[in-house]
Amino acid sequence: MQRWVFVLGAAWLAAAAPPPASSSAKVASWDEVNVLAHGLLQLGHGLKEHVERTGGQLRALGSRLSAHNASLARLERRVDAQRRLDGRIADLAAQLRALLAELAEHKAAVHDRLELLDGKLRQALRQNGPENGSSSPRRSGGAGELGVLQDFVSRQNLRMEELFQKLKQQQYRMDKQNLQIKSLQSKVNMLLPMHIKENETQTLRWKNSVVRSADRAANHSQNARAQTLEVSKFPTGCHQVFLEGERSSGVFQIQPPGSKTFKVFCDLTPGSGGWTVIQRRWDGSVDFDQLWEAYRNGFGNMSGDFWLGLDRIHQIVQEGMFRLVIEMQDWEGNSQLVQFLFRLGGEDTAYTLSLLGPVLGELENAMGDFPQLPFSTRDQDHDLKGDANCAKHLSGGWWFSTCGHVNLNGKYFRSIPRQRHERKQGIFWKTWKGRYYPLKSTTMKIQPMELGVES
């Protein structure tokens, strides 16, 4: 800035200085003024570009902060829901204790009645012995008392059975509430530290970005005055495309660190942060029953169904941990979403998928209890089921554990097949619709876990 003020001052002094005596000196002085004016014009263009770029970054920052605020609001609602569930659990526990106390009282009463019944029966047996000839009226009276006692015992047994059923229902409700609380706690424990860390570091990163942008604008102005061009670089991923202000989803050219450029489909929905789509099944226009080489390099059309390619996915995610979101839809119009953190190894590990945390969403994890899953196709069998080739059995390529829990790269059916052996080769997520329900559509997309501005 001081250099620019000096240049402006020099231009003003040159313009305000009295013209010299000779005509040749006067012409040289105006040439200098023209040169300075041209430099100031280029400087003004550079400043204008810097202001526009900074404004776009500030707008993106506002969008990011709004998304963080919405996420924190959702977390607060979940915490409130967990507190209400705790209150309900406490109420259910109190009801259960009351039922147990009532059951104990009825048990003691039944015990007393049984002892009384036992005494009366013994007395009746003594009175109705063979030595008593006139025992018919007494037998008849004893039989009446015995019938009354039997009826009382039956009613008590029925009451005890009702209490036992209520106790089972209360226990079932408590177990269900405990499962819901554990699910909410895992979601809160997973998301809250992540959002707190992002909110703490986001402002500093954006400040550093603005400073770097100002430095780049100054360098650009100096380079413009020297008539040199600055070569632009491709974004490293869809997240950087989003940070640069783009909000229309589509195909973009990216260049991850240390990799060549290639095209990806970016989901740039406002407030999303920018997602790289790695798989999409919409209409069944592409056959996903491919071999290893095709799954490694990618196939399909990015305007419809496609698989980005294991090698390209690995190039994108090799710098750190990423989120993977899976969106699914059935034929009735219902949708589900699951999300988890992951890493992906290279081809030397058979592109092993490492799950780094619990699955987030309403569905249970269908990937299995295995922390690492290698990728398999019918010509490269790396699944964890030793006596079968899951890719041949189910169709397509996937991170199979033991066949039958999930396969989003199976055959696409435009309607539900009648034959069961055909349905098991379709696109399915077992913990949602079961193994034999082929889904209508799926989308898989990834995003860096640590969101920030690329330098």
Side-chain angles (χ1 to χ4, degrees), residues 26-253:
K26 180 178 179 180
V27 171
S29 175
W30 282 110
D31 289 340
E32 292 177 357
V33 171
N34 287 333
V35 171
L36 290 174
H38 181 67
L40 290 174
L41 180 61
Q42 291 182 341
L43 177 61
H45 286 309
L47 289 174
K48 181 181 178 182
E49 293 177 1
H50 167 62
V51 170
E52 291 176 351
R53 188 182 299 106
T54 304
Q57 292 178 345
L58 291 176
R59 288 191 295 272
L61 174 60
S63 164
R64 290 284 302 140
L65 291 178
S66 299
H68 286 312
N69 291 336
S71 299
L72 289 177
R74 288 194 296 270
L75 287 175
E76 290 177 355
R77 289 194 295 270
R78 290 177 180 176
V79 171
D80 292 337
Q82 180 177 346
R83 291 173 180 171
R84 290 194 295 270
L85 286 175
D86 291 339
R88 292 180 60 185
I89 289 295
D91 295 340
L92 289 174
Q95 295 177 11
L96 183 60
R97 286 193 294 269
L99 286 174
L100 290 175
E102 184 179 356
L103 184 61
E105 293 177 0
H106 280 283
K107 181 179 179 181
V110 169
H111 182 71
D112 294 340
R113 296 279 185 171
L114 288 176
E115 288 185 350
L116 179 61
L117 175 62
D118 184 64
K120 289 188 176 182
L121 286 175
R122 291 178 180 178
Q123 183 179 1
L125 290 175
R126 285 195 300 268
Q127 291 176 355
N128 293 329
E131 69 277 9
N132 191 349
S134 59
S135 61
S136 294
R138 292 181 180 178
R139 247 192 331 265
S140 146
E145 291 181 357
L146 181 61
V148 171
L149 289 173
Q150 288 176 344
D151 182 63
F152 173 76
V153 170
S154 299
R155 290 198 303 271
Q156 292 297 326
N157 288 335
L158 181 61
R159 177 60 177 166
M160 290 178 65
E161 183 65 24
E162 291 176 354
L163 289 174
F164 180 70
Q165 292 298 327
K166 289 182 179 180
L167 185 64
K168 289 178 63 177
Q169 292 176 1
Q170 293 293 340
Q171 185 66 37
Y172 171 76
R173 291 174 184 172
M174 289 186 66
D175 293 340
K176 188 175 181 180
Q177 295 291 342
N178 284 328
L179 290 175
Q180 293 177 353
I181 288 176
K182 290 180 179 179
S183 177
L184 286 173
Q185 285 177 342
S186 65
K187 292 178 181 179
V188 171
N189 293 336
M190 187 75 182
L191 293 176
L192 189 57
M194 188 183 304
H195 285 283
I196 291 176
K197 185 176 181 180
E198 288 181 358
N199 286 333
E200 289 175 349
T201 59
Q202 192 67 24
T203 303
L204 179 59
R205 290 181 177 178
W206 278 99
K207 287 180 179 179
N208 293 335
S209 174
V210 171
V211 173
R212 289 194 297 269
S213 298
D215 293 339
R216 286 196 297 267
N219 293 332
H220 176 72
S221 300
Q222 294 175 0
N223 292 336
R225 291 175 62 185
Q227 298 183 353
T228 58
L229 298 176
E230 181 180 352
V231 180
S232 61
K233 296 181 179 179
F234 290 102
T236 58
C238 292
H239 176 57
Q240 186 175 357
V241 175
F242 182 90
L243 293 179
E244 291 175 355
E246 184 62 50
R247 292 298 180 271
S248 297
S249 300
V251 179
F252 293 85
Q253 194 93 352

Side-chain angles (χ1 to χ4, degrees), residues 297-402:
N297 300 328
F299 54 87
N301 187 349
M302 290 189 181
S303 62
D305 291 9
F306 72 94
W307 173 260
L308 180 60
L310 292 166
D311 191 57
R312 293 175 178 174
I313 299 172
H314 176 252
Q315 292 176 29
I316 295 173
V317 306
Q318 63 182 342
E319 291 298 322
M321 287 191 296
F322 274 67
R323 297 185 183 93
L324 171 62
V325 162
I326 300 175
E327 300 172 347
M328 299 173 284
Q329 187 179 24
D330 64 13
W331 291 94
E332 290 75 35
N334 303 310
S335 299
Q336 284 289 352
L337 182 147
V338 295
Q339 173 179 328
F340 50 84
L341 300 177
F342 77 102
R343 290 184 187 273
L344 186 68
E347 188 173 14
D348 56 340
T349 68
Y351 298 106
T352 294
L353 178 72
S354 299
L355 305 181
L356 304 178
V359 172
L360 303 180
E362 298 180 359
L363 301 181
E364 295 180 5
N365 182 15
M367 300 295 288
D369 296 328
F370 306 93
Q372 294 183 330
L373 296 171
F375 198 88
S376 291
T377 58
R378 48 193 170 92
D379 63 329
Q380 293 279 350
D381 182 16
H382 303 116
D383 58 58
L384 304 182
K385 191 172 180 63
D387 57 349
N389 185 329
C390 295
K392 284 185 178 180
H393 185 62
L394 299 178
S395 175
W398 188 253
W399 293 279
F400 296 109
S401 53
T402 55

